Amino acid sequence: MDQHEHIENDEKYHGLTVNSGVKQQPVVNPYLKPRKRRPLPTSGELVEGILKGDITTLSRAVTLVESLSADHQTIAQEVIEKCLPYSGNSRRIGITGVPGAGKSTSIDVFGLHVLKDGGKLAVLAIDPSSERTKGSILGDKTRMERLAVHPSAFIRPSPSAGSLGGVARKTRETIVLCEAAGYNNIFVETVGVGQSETAVHSMVDFFLLIQLAGTGDELQGIKRGIMEMADGIVINKADGDNVDRARLAQAQFRSALHLFPPTQSGWFPEVLCYSGYYGLGIEEVWEMIDRYFKFVKENGYFDRKRQEQARYWMFETIDEQLRRNFYTNPEVKQMLFEKEARVLNNQQSSFTAARDVLDFYFNRENK
Ligand code: GDP
């Protein structure tokens, strides 16, 4: 608009006048080149960067591991394969506890404790709820303030897409990459409320259960199965007025553990009190973990368990791929849709309907 067009600029007007502004730039910068997609790195480039301990390359590779795209998966699987010979040299520790038990506060101090003597730490997470919330609760950098800025720590939130099995497998693959990048301490965090503990248990050497001194009901909805998996139970927030209650809870857990069958490792799970927030008793918790590693390395259980885990993940992966292949097949999908309706309308039994779909799936190549 021309400056004379403003009524304020009329000679009869005595208020503020309007000056002509600067000439407006076109909105689109003509010099801006169309953004090119970053080409995918080759698996060789990624492996080279990972083995050098380059954190940006590691993050990129983990992103490919987590990706659902077939191209990304091909590269990711090559990278994992090439990193495998360099992996395994770490302590893998699973950490679980109900929300509010103090996992992130504790991981922050535990992490600083293990890094005190050098080495590197990767904190990974398995959080099945992240699929629903579309954002991960666990492994969030802001929850571990000191570790997040520590140069030797790598924090990665839970992969968010897919089934629990899929999410867990990605975390397991990420462990391989982290180890190849020189991370000799791996923490895998999970929220202590369901199935995800079993998944974490199947990829770690030591499973730590963080508990709170409750109000009488010490088992706090933690399933018996989770307690049975624990190699160590630690009662957090043993500070201030809470110390006596924590000690009481400790005694209760100790006696509860006596009722459980002996562990396969031959190790008797210990129960300790500590305060993550005030940094009390941290040393004792890590002495226990050190004792455990010494014990299972000496009696051979450490290697046996890792072998067993490798076998488990092979079958898990086959299982997952078969299911995915089956359920994403368009013809199967259509057939399932029709068969479901027939079963619901009592036109066909569940078993013959299932058999028909499976027969179709397994014989489709011969048709
Ligand atoms: P998470 O949900 O298990 O990760 O738990 P957080 O680490 O976020 O802790 C939950 C709350 O408990 C926070 O308000 C922490 O400040 C508090 N908290 C964590 N550890 C301690 C502790 O050792 N003592 C006390 N008194 N509070 C703690």
Side-chain angles (χ1 to χ4, degrees):
M1 191 187 279
D2 190 77
Q3 82 183 97
H4 298 289
E5 286 175 27
H6 288 275
I7 52 154
E8 294 93 331
N9 293 348
D10 195 291
E11 278 173 7
K12 290 182 218 126
Y13 184 78
H14 297 293
L16 290 172
T17 56
V18 175
N19 293 325
S20 61
V22 290
K23 201 166 161 262
Q24 289 296 312
Q25 295 291 331
V27 178
V28 178
N29 179 352
Y31 301 107
L32 197 70
K33 292 206 181 88
R35 200 167 72 97
K36 274 204 207 125
R37 279 185 152 259
R38 208 159 40 142
L40 278 180
T42 65
S43 61
E45 284 162 2
L46 288 170
V47 173
E48 198 188 320
I50 290 172
L51 294 181
K52 271 196 239 148
D54 178 52
I55 211 155
T56 317
T57 313
L58 176 63
S59 301
R60 245 188 131 184
V62 174
T63 306
L64 295 181
V65 166
E66 291 173 355
S67 165
L68 294 176
S69 121
D71 290 357
H72 293 179
Q73 272 306 308
T74 312
I75 302 179
Q77 293 308 321
E78 278 171 32
V79 174
I80 294 164
E81 203 68 41
K82 289 180 187 161
C83 284
L84 260 178
Y86 304 94
S87 72
N89 189 20
S90 79
R91 288 176 166 207
R92 305 171 183 163
I93 296 171
I95 299 177
T96 193
V98 292
K103 291 179 296 300
S104 35
T105 313
S106 307
I107 290 176
D108 210 30
V109 280
F110 290 159
L112 293 181
H113 184 84
V114 299
L115 290 174
K116 215 169 40 155
D117 308 321
K120 299 211 281 183
L121 167 70
V123 181
L124 313 175
I126 294 184
D127 174 9
S129 63
S130 64
E131 194 189 347
R132 262 171 283 137
T133 56
K134 293 289 173 222
S136 171
I137 330 172
L138 298 180
D140 182 344
K141 288 191 186 187
T142 54
R143 292 166 66 247
M144 298 155 200
E145 287 172 6
R146 286 168 295 179
L147 272 190
V149 294
H150 198 293
S152 306
F154 175 73
I155 304 179
R156 185 85 190 183
S158 175
S160 59
S163 60
L164 169 63
V167 169
R169 183 172 55 79
K170 288 171 189 183
T171 303
R172 155 99 187 167
E173 292 173 344
T174 301
I175 293 180
V176 172
L177 304 190
C178 291
E179 289 175 350
Y183 289 82
N184 57 344
N185 294 284
I186 312 277
F187 290 176
V188 186
E189 180 190 10
T190 190
V191 93
V193 287
Q195 289 281 301
S196 50
E197 291 71 28
T198 318
V200 175
H201 187 244
S202 62
M203 62 179 85
V204 298
D205 309 312
F206 184 93
F207 194 64
L208 186 71
L209 172 60
I210 300 182
Q211 284 285 44
L212 295 175
T215 47
D217 174 23
E218 301 308 349
L219 299 184
Q220 300 161 41
I222 285 277
K223 294 195 191 77
R224 192 192 143 100
I226 297 178
M227 266 186 71
E228 269 181 70
M229 284 192 276
D231 300 300
I233 297 179
V234 284
I235 297 149
N236 188 19
K237 310 196 188 182
D239 46 51
D241 299 346
N242 218 13
V243 174
D244 288 342
R245 278 199 290 157
R247 297 255 167 256
L248 186 65
Q250 183 182 21
Q252 287 171 333
F253 276 115
R254 275 187 181 151
S255 52
L257 282 174
H258 279 286
L259 304 175
F260 288 172
T263 56
Q264 286 179 359
S265 56
W267 165 262
F268 195 81
E270 295 189 17
V271 186
L272 297 173
C273 292
Y274 78 108
S275 164
Y277 190 82
Y278 293 99
L280 306 169
I282 309 297
E283 195 91 23
E284 287 74 9
V285 172
W286 285 90
E287 278 167 12
M288 158 177 75
I289 294 176
D290 289 343
R291 269 200 303 284
Y292 172 86
F293 275 95
K294 187 164 180 292
F295 181 81
V296 291
K297 282 195 172 165
E298 275 171 12
N299 75 7
Y301 180 75
F302 180 87
D303 292 327
R304 272 208 313 282
K305 186 173 182 183
R306 283 207 171 178
Q307 273 175 344
E308 177 53 36
Q309 290 174 336
R311 198 181 71 93
Y312 171 87
W313 283 103
M314 183 180 97
F315 285 106
E316 271 294 303
T317 308
I318 293 176
D319 218 49
E320 196 207 327
Q321 303 272 335
L322 282 177
R323 277 168 173 279
R324 186 154 26 128
N325 196 289
F326 177 78
Y327 284 109
T328 54
N329 180 300
E331 288 167 309
V332 168
K333 269 198 210 163
Q334 177 60 30
M335 202 168 168
L336 280 175
F337 179 74
E338 289 160 12
K339 290 287 180 190
E340 195 180 342
R342 284 177 66 80
V343 170
L344 290 175
N345 291 330
N346 287 327
Q347 289 165 317
Q348 196 176 6
S349 81
S350 322
F351 307 104
T352 57
R355 193 201 52 210
D356 288 352
V357 185
L358 288 170
D359 280 351
F360 166 77
Y361 179 72
F362 285 115
N363 296 326
R364 69 197 190 290
E365 253 107 68
N366 307 335
K367 284 191 183 138

